[in-house]
Amino acid sequence: DVASRCAGVVDALWIAKLMVESGTHHTVAVCCADRFDHVLKSDQVPEFAAQVVYAAGACTAIIAEQAANEIVAFAESTFPDLSRHRVMGPVAGGTSVPFDESALDKGLHLWSDQRTMRNLIDEKRFGYEADHRNFAALYEAADFEDVDFVVCSPLEQAPQLETLAALGIDLDKTLFPIPHLGHLGPADYLLSLGIAQVVKRPVGPRAILTSRSITAAKAIALRGKGSGLGIAVAGEGLDPTIWSGSEGEQCP
């Protein structure tokens, strides 16, 4: 869902859960992939912060009826000003501004961030309030008294950490892949949960996956049928030691 941006992974997981529960499908693959090098000036010395933060990669989650966990609740909040879709990303390439030679010459196909300081302040307030609403809704719907792990991958960690602290959630209950791997769009959230399993971060049976974009905040609650989420992780190209501190302590 392009409109949901990174938060589209939450929609996809919830739809996959409904497909399996309905009996129409036994196994669903939720595939998330992003490569930002085609919209950034990757052949030049980085000029903007986004050219350093964004990366390329992919993750896939398998949703199956025999899984040792379940997706139990969904919550979302939408930013009322939908014009935000037009202030972040390439200007040309859609129906409003077709991609042509003139757009190419002007660099309108490249990633751009046109948000104002007022936009940023409004987004921070929206994200903070939306997370509180979403967490409250999930706690009630999933019958959670507490949460064991929070899957989130914000571009800016400080506002997210502030929100988690206000919700009474300790830093050791989350893990951010962005400082080490860059931003991979919706794939970040699957990657965060996978890394937590690989580095043996304690992930109990109650988890919340929460995602913010500039237009929406969405979240789902996951519940394991045993003492943990019962997730098996497979893949390559990841060095789990980068999440270990000098004294063996796990870093955020």
Side-chain angles (χ1 to χ4, degrees):
D1 183 349
V2 175
S4 289
R5 300 177 182 262
C6 302
V9 65
V10 178
D11 295 326
L13 291 170
W14 184 250
I15 291 171
K17 163 239 177 32
L18 296 178
M19 293 170 69
V20 171
E21 278 192 351
S22 70
T24 59
H25 295 75
H26 300 292
T27 307
V28 180
V30 174
C31 305
C32 300
D34 260 307
R35 53 171 298 180
F36 291 94
D37 54 309
H38 67 293
V39 294
L40 298 172
K41 301 175 181 179
S42 56
D43 59 338
Q44 300 179 16
V45 175
E47 180 180 359
F48 302 105
Q51 293 172 253
V52 179
V53 172
Y54 290 90
C59 285
T60 297
I62 304 298
I63 314 301
E65 58 184 349
Q66 72 272 21
N69 52 65
E70 52 189 347
I71 301 172
V72 292
F74 172 89
E76 64 89 22
S77 297
T78 301
F79 196 94
D81 181 6
L82 297 182
S83 67
R84 294 302 172 90
H85 289 285
R86 299 193 297 270
V87 300
M88 191 172 181
V91 174
T95 54
S96 299
V97 184
F99 180 75
D100 54 23
E101 188 172 345
S102 174
L104 179 64
D105 291 339
K106 296 177 181 177
L108 299 183
H109 63 299
L110 299 174
W111 188 269
S112 62
D113 189 340
Q114 306 167 67
R115 292 174 298 173
T116 65
M117 292 303 296
R118 170 53 59 184
N119 290 154
L120 296 176
I121 293 171
D122 289 346
E123 287 170 21
K124 180 179 179 180
R125 181 183 300 111
F126 163 72
Y128 185 87
E129 295 175 350
D131 273 352
H132 279 69
R133 288 194 297 269
N134 288 346
F135 271 71
L138 292 181
Y139 271 55
E140 180 177 0
D143 195 24
F144 283 1
E145 294 182 359
D146 196 2
V147 64
D148 302 301
F149 191 75
V150 176
V151 182
C152 56
S153 189
L155 286 174
E156 296 182 58
Q157 296 180 30
Q160 185 72 68
L161 292 173
E162 179 182 336
T163 299
L164 294 179
L167 291 167
I169 298 171
D170 294 334
L171 177 61
D172 62 357
K173 289 187 176 182
T174 190
L175 180 149
F176 297 152
I178 285 179
H180 305 294
L181 302 180
H183 180 51
L184 305 177
D188 277 351
Y189 303 90
L190 303 182
L191 189 62
S192 174
L193 190 54
I195 292 171
Q197 299 288 317
V198 171
V199 302
K200 303 187 185 305
R201 179 71 66 90
V203 178
R206 301 164 300 182
I208 286 179
L209 189 156
T210 177
S211 175
R212 299 175 180 176
S213 73
I214 61 173
T215 56
K218 304 186 179 186
I220 55 174
L222 311 174
R223 182 169 57 209
K225 299 174 182 178
S227 60
L229 285 181
I231 292 174
V233 179
E236 58 183 19
L238 175 66
D239 179 7
T241 62
I242 61 179
W243 273 270
S244 296
S246 58
E247 299 180 359
E249 296 181 356
Q250 294 168 335
C251 301

